[in-house]
Amino acid sequence: MNRLLFLLLTLTAFGYADASPSALMNNVPNRTTISLDGAWQAIIDPYETGLKARFYLNSKPKDKQELIEYDFDKSDVLQVPGDWNSQKKELFFYEGPVWYKRSFSYHKREHTRVFVYFGAANYFTRVYLNGQALGEHEGGFTPFNFEVTDQIREGDNFVVAEVNNARRRDGVPSVNTDWWNYGGLTRDVTLVEVAETFIQDYVVQLAKGSSSEISGWVQLSGPASAQQVTVEIPEAKIKQTITTDAAGRAEFRFPAKLELWSPDHPRLYDVVLSSGVDKVHDAIGFRTIETRGTQILLNGKPVFLRGISLHEEAPVRGGRAFSHEDAETLLGWARELGCNFVRLTHYPHNENMTRLADRMGIMVWSEIPVYWDIDWENPATLQNAENQLRDMIARDHNRASVVLWSLSNETPVKPERVTFLRQLAASARQRDPTRLITSALNHVDEAGPDVRLLNDPVGEFLDVLGLNEYLGWYWGRPEDADRMQWKTAWDKPLIMSEFGAENPYGRHGEGDERWTEEYQASLYQHQITMLKKIPSLAGLSPWVLMDFHSPRRLLPGIQDYYNRKGLVSNHGEHKQAFYVLQKFYREMEAAK
Ligand code: GCU
């Protein structure tokens, strides 16, 4: 036996299967699913003993002599979905591996394939079923799935997941972030049952630049790859039949007379795709999004993005948000603020958010966590970012609300970073030519005493420029904004993607006293005076909707591991600045 084969067998025997996940299936919420959410046994494993001790076998001593130094059934319990940091005080700061185990009973059915689907797990995950390694996944905020048709048994089964949130220099993000490193099975875990040949993925959207033509594709998975697929939109009296090729793929383009999706009219259609024995329904909105000079056009008309940035932090409860109720609270506050737009930072949020945004008519900026400085020259880091971009787009490429794919946030201006981001921009356009590409930049040049010029080389290959400026908080005084002018080196739309000030709810003082509600309100007032004078401004997403946990925010009695730039406290209390921004948005809406 050659050495490589021996090594591979040995690694597999120790659960090192490095198999990548199966191709991501789309639209899981509308498929036949069995939830594995709920109580999972959990072993906290700070010295990473589990792999060598083969926890994934879930063994019990076969007699009174056998030495087994773990027992899932007598270990901790963690709720899934959910980060571990907010479930157990002793895990608040924990960074390392946790081994999860869930036993379940399953009834096998003929001609049915089965996948185990993870909405997300932060950060590095190895998955096993009935003691067999399925594979591993890197990235804390995008879905992944493994086929288990051959490994799942009639009757009793157990799934084991090792989730490790240790930060990695070559990771995406890297080791330094201004958000809490919540670890664990942070989103739903689901068994998905599909036909032997099923509709794995599809795009049904308006063709770029057209409001009367649908273009898209469908991808089947399974042995009967070449077959007829029907795309129906009954309310629009559309029924088109196409034939997939030997690889199971077919592209299509056909005329369509549709009511267009918009914030004022978030029209969704029931779209039905059927092939042979498979049929999936999806709720899809149809709209166009493009730029013309410094304007963003929604359905051909200029639109101003009245937005707010927000982290995926659970209101009141704390920890990672994941539920439909969390999404309703967060997007409800955005709507109360007068928003038609949200910047979901700094990573793809859970699918409840984008599907609810579709229904509410709120446009979305969706972002991969290429955040601050990362390992720009490492090919594995680029591949990791590409994978996260691929899966962010694959999950949401039928969501009308998503109008912007963001490649990064506040990255340093150096040649290797431009090369890295240029590559990501090309991949994003190739995967989805219909949405706009952006990034939040933060390097500007002084072009005069009160003039700042954005000419970051990355701007060259973005459709929309994002700019994070903290005038009045990290530099200058709030009143300096009254005189400040902003220019960019391109004839492209500008979104002021971050500004803000920090203060705990209920802390009051003079308007010039930092860390008070009055200071934050005053800063927003001065910012609004400045923003009104920027001709290329097409939107804003101030920092931030709600206070959120951060390991970098240490000021006792004021921050206490919270970044307090929220317009709303983590208990849902609205600060004075909330109403300053709300007034601005309401006036803008009224003047439309
Ligand atoms: C940065 C960064 C945010 C951070 C914020 C702040 O711009 O994008 O992630 O939380 O500023 O300093 O509060």
Side-chain angles (χ1 to χ4, degrees), residues 494-505:
L494 173 68
I495 291 179
M496 206 57 98
S497 40
E498 286 186 36
F499 62 84
E502 207 160 335
N503 60 279
Y505 171 78

Side-chain angles (χ1 to χ4, degrees), residues 75-382:
S75 295
D76 277 319
V77 170
L78 287 173
Q79 291 304 315
V80 172
D83 64 277
W84 60 63
N85 315 72
S86 61
Q87 290 192 51
K88 291 185 178 303
K89 274 207 175 316
E90 63 272 29
L91 296 180
F92 183 57
F93 289 100
Y94 180 70
E95 294 185 305
V98 171
W99 291 79
Y100 289 79
K101 190 273 288 185
R102 172 81 151 75
S103 299
F104 63 94
S105 180
Y106 182 73
H107 172 56
K108 296 192 78 155
R109 292 187 306 135
E110 280 216 311
H111 308 303
T112 301
R113 294 167 66 187
V114 195
F115 290 75
V116 60
Y117 178 91
F118 294 80
N122 188 44
Y123 168 81
F124 184 84
T125 309
R126 292 192 185 102
V127 185
Y128 307 80
L129 184 70
N130 300 327
Q132 296 179 64
L134 299 178
E136 56 191 41
H137 176 266
E138 182 170 358
F141 304 95
T142 42
F144 56 99
N145 48 228
F146 295 99
E147 181 158 11
V148 295
T149 310
D150 297 337
Q151 295 89 340
I152 201 162
R153 298 185 296 225
E154 178 65 28
D156 295 340
N157 294 270
F158 65 94
V159 56
V160 170
E162 178 202 10
V163 186
N164 189 335
N165 74 333
R167 287 164 289 130
R168 300 175 172 207
R169 190 152 306 287
D170 65 351
V172 178
S174 182
V175 293
N176 191 17
T177 64
D178 190 23
W179 70 78
W180 205 263
N181 180 25
Y182 290 116
L185 293 174
T186 46
R187 295 180 191 162
D188 294 330
V189 181
T190 312
L191 289 178
V192 190
E193 294 179 321
V194 292
E196 275 174 338
T197 296
F198 72 101
I199 299 168
Q200 178 234 313
D201 195 3
Y202 52 87
V203 164
V204 182
Q205 291 279 275
L206 283 175
K208 184 156 184 70
S210 165
S211 56
S212 58
E213 266 203 311
I214 282 180
S215 89
W217 50 266
V218 63
Q219 179 63 58
L220 303 183
S221 164
S225 46
Q227 58 175 292
Q228 288 207 328
V229 177
T230 305
V231 180
E232 285 181 86
I233 311 178
E235 296 162 281
K237 298 183 179 32
I238 288 172
K239 183 169 183 173
Q240 293 281 330
T241 301
I242 53 202
T243 304
T244 52
D245 61 21
R249 181 180 172 90
E251 300 190 356
F252 50 80
R253 192 177 180 113
F254 50 79
K257 196 164 168 27
L258 299 154
E259 292 172 48
L260 299 183
W261 182 94
S262 73
D264 297 333
H265 184 54
R267 176 75 160 93
L268 299 178
Y269 284 87
D270 178 29
V271 177
V272 189
L273 295 102
S274 40
S275 75
V277 292
D278 194 18
K279 176 183 275 196
V280 283
H281 287 252
D282 203 349
I284 298 179
F286 297 92
R287 52 102 190 96
T288 64
I289 191 78
E290 53 208 329
T291 64
R292 183 176 58 206
T294 61
Q295 294 182 316
I296 295 175
L297 305 181
L298 176 70
N299 301 327
K301 296 196 201 81
V303 65
F304 189 91
L305 305 185
R306 305 188 308 271
I308 191 74
S309 293
L310 61 144
H311 266 296
E312 192 181 45
E313 182 104 0
V316 186
R317 174 182 88 239
R320 270 280 164 258
F322 54 77
S323 68
H324 177 73
E325 293 68 29
D326 293 337
E328 284 195 319
T329 304
L330 291 169
L331 295 184
W333 286 338
R335 178 55 26 101
E336 182 191 351
L337 190 54
C339 296
N340 63 0
F341 169 59
V342 286
R343 179 182 172 218
L344 301 186
T345 51
H346 286 290
Y347 36 76
H349 289 209
N350 64 81
E351 193 169 0
N352 289 308
M353 290 290 280
T354 47
R355 285 190 178 267
L356 180 58
D358 264 14
R359 295 194 295 276
M360 291 178 69
I362 295 179
M363 291 175 281
V364 168
W365 159 319
S366 190
E367 183 164 295
I368 53 172
V370 175
Y371 181 88
W372 289 354
D373 210 0
I374 66 170
D375 196 356
W376 303 104
E377 297 182 278
N378 183 332
T381 304
L382 176 60

Side-chain angles (χ1 to χ4, degrees), residues 178 346 371 409-410 468 470 474 498 543 553 563 565:
D178 190 23
H346 286 290
Y371 181 88
N409 179 75
E410 295 196 354
N468 295 356
Y470 278 91
Y474 290 125
E498 286 186 36
W543 193 255
R553 305 298 172 171
N563 181 315
K565 294 191 183 71

Side-chain angles (χ1 to χ4, degrees), residues 339-500:
C339 296
N340 63 0
F341 169 59
V342 286
R343 179 182 172 218
L344 301 186
T345 51
H346 286 290
Y347 36 76
H349 289 209
N350 64 81
E351 193 169 0
N352 289 308
M353 290 290 280
T354 47
R355 285 190 178 267
L356 180 58
D358 264 14
R359 295 194 295 276
M360 291 178 69
I362 295 179
M363 291 175 281
V364 168
W365 159 319
S366 190
E367 183 164 295
I368 53 172
V370 175
Y371 181 88
W372 289 354
D373 210 0
I374 66 170
D375 196 356
W376 303 104
E377 297 182 278
N378 183 332
T381 304
L382 176 60
Q383 188 55 60
N384 182 351
E386 290 270 17
N387 293 345
Q388 296 191 43
L389 178 71
R390 173 199 65 204
D391 297 338
M392 170 175 74
I393 293 175
R395 191 195 73 185
D396 286 345
H397 51 210
N398 291 309
R399 303 282 72 81
S401 54
V402 179
V403 294
L404 288 153
W405 299 123
S406 171
L407 308 175
S408 66
N409 179 75
E410 295 196 354
T411 52
V413 178
K414 47 189 177 182
E416 55 272 30
R417 158 262 195 180
V418 177
T419 306
F420 190 102
L421 293 179
R422 182 183 283 110
Q423 169 63 45
L424 288 183
S427 300
R429 288 203 173 86
Q430 187 271 323
R431 290 181 182 281
D432 177 6
T434 68
R435 288 175 175 83
L436 302 175
I437 307 300
T438 190
S439 275
L441 309 170
N442 69 326
H443 296 277
V444 292
D445 293 334
E446 279 196 39
D450 292 319
V451 182
R452 295 295 179 271
L453 171 67
L454 173 63
N455 62 356
D456 182 323
V458 162
E460 200 53 52
F461 47 81
L462 299 179
D463 298 313
V464 173
L465 306 166
L467 178 57
N468 295 356
E469 51 86 7
Y470 278 91
L471 175 51
W473 185 256
Y474 290 125
W475 59 288
R477 314 254 326 120
E479 55 272 26
D480 296 344
D482 298 353
R483 297 186 310 278
M484 191 59 70
Q485 295 174 60
W486 296 87
K487 298 184 186 311
T488 77
W490 297 277
D491 182 29
K492 296 182 177 181
L494 173 68
I495 291 179
M496 206 57 98
S497 40
E498 286 186 36
F499 62 84

